[in-house]
Amino acid sequence: MNNKPIGIFDSGVGGLTVAKEVVRNLPNEEIIYFGDNGRNPYGVRTTEEIIYFCEQITRFLISHDVKAIIIACNTATIAALDELVEQFDVPIFGVVRPGVSAVIETTKNKRVGLIATESSVKSGSYQRLIKEKDGEIEVFGQACPLLVNIAEECLYETRISYEASKYYLEDLINKGIDTLVLGCTHFPLHRKNIEEVVGERINIVDPAFKTVEGLCEFLEKNNMKRESGIEVHHKIYVSGKTEKFKNLADDVLNGDYNVEKINIEEY
Ligand code: DGL
């Protein structure tokens, strides 16, 4: 048993889609969430900047005595996972390798669409890791920066989300893909609109499911699960504005959360 909380972070609201899966699969676990909404989007930042931010956030989460950390951000996973694993003692999980495994299991025609931030698409990480597992799979990448902003603005259930999804996805659909990986944790918030645009023929992969599956296995294997029957109080912190973030957290995590702004530069 280990009753310490699990740290989860993202550049903003996107990681809440991963937190939601943690809450669903591990209802006894307590979460400390950090959304770096004062400094996002990460997708246009340099690797050095992202590593610097992630180091601060990791120190912040460790100051809350977390037993494990999920980098609930593809961009940050690609830029900083290896660096963080090397530097810190706490177990740290990323979302990209789980996403890659899900893609391999899903595609039949070996034509895969990747939607992500500009830096994730340009890094070629998903493409490389997928090719390493199956050299025949072709990956077509498309950066969708507006989908990050629309989600941060809490507009993912509007026409704006639908139109932006359509704008970004049209070319990918024409490539004959049978699988679309949501390579940015903000994008599952647009899922309904994305589904409407791509239709039933294309399978959507959300890396959050496999990520949380991996976390469950890890906690189980290392006897690190939290006791059942004790109260659960998730804590949410941000580096920027709290109001929209709270609305979204309440919506995604289905509750009434207190969102606290902190000065992350102190860590
Ligand atoms: N949610 C993030 C990801 O998974 C990044 C969004 C951003 O800040 O650009 O890549």
Side-chain angles (χ1 to χ4, degrees):
M1 291 289 167
N2 184 331
N3 289 344
K4 292 176 182 181
I6 295 168
I8 301 180
F9 76 89
D10 176 44
S11 67
V13 296
L16 291 169
T17 62
V18 180
K20 180 183 178 175
E21 281 313 301
V22 173
V23 172
R24 204 165 62 85
N25 288 280
L26 296 162
N28 297 321
E29 297 297 330
E30 217 162 44
I31 289 170
I32 308 276
Y33 186 91
F34 180 76
D36 204 0
N37 62 346
R39 305 190 290 196
N40 78 3
Y42 279 9
V44 293
R45 299 278 190 176
T46 63
T47 302
E48 290 70 29
E49 280 176 310
I50 298 170
I51 291 174
Y52 174 75
F53 295 161
C54 291
E55 286 170 346
Q56 287 181 327
I57 299 166
T58 303
R59 284 193 285 270
F60 166 73
L61 292 173
I62 288 174
S63 77
H64 278 266
D65 208 16
V66 293
K67 62 183 170 191
I69 293 177
I70 303 182
I71 309 178
C73 173
N74 292 264
T75 310
T77 298
I78 290 166
L81 175 64
D82 293 346
E83 195 77 27
L84 298 182
V85 166
E86 204 166 296
Q87 248 188 80
F88 298 96
D89 272 344
V90 62
I92 304 179
F93 300 85
V95 287
V96 174
R97 281 183 190 274
V100 168
S101 304
V103 165
I104 304 289
E105 284 173 16
T106 308
T107 183
K108 298 274 180 293
N109 76 355
K110 301 191 191 264
R111 295 175 75 78
V112 172
L114 161 72
I115 53 171
T117 62
E118 194 153 335
S119 78
S120 294
V121 173
K122 275 200 187 141
S123 75
S125 291
Y126 262 99
Q127 296 90 319
R128 183 173 45 78
L129 291 168
I130 290 172
K131 280 258 178 233
E132 267 172 31
K133 293 209 175 198
D134 184 338
E136 285 178 10
I137 297 180
E138 266 205 88
V139 182
F140 304 93
Q142 171 68 55
C144 308
L146 278 180
L147 293 185
V148 175
N149 303 332
I150 294 168
E152 288 291 326
E153 288 300 317
C154 241
L155 296 172
Y156 50 92
E157 277 170 351
T158 68
R159 193 80 202 156
I160 302 172
S161 156
Y162 175 79
E163 291 299 339
S165 303
K166 193 163 164 233
Y167 171 78
Y168 287 127
L169 288 164
E170 244 155 24
D171 279 355
L172 282 185
I173 296 169
N174 291 334
K175 299 263 192 282
I177 58 169
D178 73 348
T179 302
L180 177 71
V181 55
L182 307 181
C184 169
T185 53
H186 282 69
F187 298 172
L189 293 167
H190 299 279
R191 188 166 180 140
K192 258 196 245 141
N193 290 312
I194 292 174
E195 273 173 356
E196 207 175 316
V197 171
V198 300
E200 279 172 10
R201 222 179 30 81
I202 295 175
N203 296 303
I204 294 175
V205 165
D206 178 355
F209 303 129
K210 277 246 180 253
T211 303
V212 176
E213 216 175 274
L215 175 73
C216 291
E217 277 167 25
F218 173 82
L219 295 178
E220 188 75 57
K221 200 168 130 207
N222 293 284
N223 196 20
M224 281 173 73
K225 282 191 160 174
R226 192 168 181 267
E227 268 170 83
S228 58
I230 42 174
E231 273 188 54
V232 175
H233 294 289
H234 304 311
K235 294 200 178 90
I236 303 180
Y237 298 90
V238 292
S239 58
K241 292 192 179 138
T242 55
E243 206 181 299
K244 273 186 195 140
F245 206 101
K246 178 188 162 38
N247 292 341
L248 211 139
D250 289 353
D251 183 23
V252 175
L253 298 180
N254 200 16
D256 180 11
Y257 294 95
N258 179 40
V259 176
E260 192 181 324
K261 180 176 174 176
I262 57 139
N263 181 5
I264 193 67
E265 294 289 352
E266 282 174 3
Y267 290 87

